[in-house]
Amino acid sequence: MPRKFATKEDWLVACANTVELLGSMSPSEFYNKETMEYHSTARSAVVSLANGLADAGDFGAFLQREDQTTRRLPSTPEALRGMALSDMHFRLICTFADERWMPGFLARAFNDGVLIPALEQLSANIDHFTLQE
């Protein structure tokens, strides 16, 4: 069951802690390609952060607009600039959701240097979101 956050401040603290953890990790610490396993808490922290936010954007319209290859986080941090916050949030959700078909998608975002900046941008714009109830 995903973690529920009582306040936006709780979410911000969890996000800062997760960004700090991710920033201290190497790609092989985050995701072990040989065992196809993530760090014991890092992936679940990212998933909880993404699922802890409620977005006023239209997720169904996003899924119709984007195909399966474009609905994930982009491959460069520069591509996050100017991206709508709802799209960034939805792309983060789709990135880890696609793990069902292709293990390691979230690791790609980490290795490409996109995961941390995406979390930082969501954090910096927390007022765009409400918390999941």
Side-chain angles (χ1 to χ4, degrees), residues 90-127:
F90 295 154
R91 286 173 192 275
L92 177 58
I93 291 169
C94 287
T95 299
F96 64 76
D98 282 349
E99 298 261 340
R100 295 172 291 187
W101 298 281
M102 180 82 167
F105 270 133
L106 196 59
R108 284 185 188 177
F110 178 82
N111 295 345
D112 291 342
V114 176
L115 183 56
I116 291 173
L119 290 172
E120 290 172 334
Q121 286 192 40
L122 296 177
S123 177
N125 295 284
I126 191 69
D127 289 336

Side-chain angles (χ1 to χ4, degrees), residues 7-25:
T7 65
K8 286 183 179 181
E9 184 60 37
D10 290 342
W11 189 94
L12 290 168
V13 169
C15 187
N17 290 338
T18 301
V19 165
E20 183 178 352
L21 173 64
L22 293 173
S24 71
M25 301 177 87

Side-chain angles (χ1 to χ4, degrees), residues 10-55:
D10 290 342
W11 189 94
L12 290 168
V13 169
C15 187
N17 290 338
T18 301
V19 165
E20 183 178 352
L21 173 64
L22 293 173
S24 71
M25 301 177 87
S26 68
S28 62
E29 289 173 315
F30 181 66
Y31 180 74
N32 184 325
K33 289 181 185 178
E34 293 170 11
T35 62
M36 297 174 63
E37 292 179 352
Y38 283 92
H39 181 272
S40 61
T41 58
R43 182 186 185 278
S44 62
V46 171
V47 171
S48 290
L49 289 168
N51 286 335
L53 296 176
D55 198 305

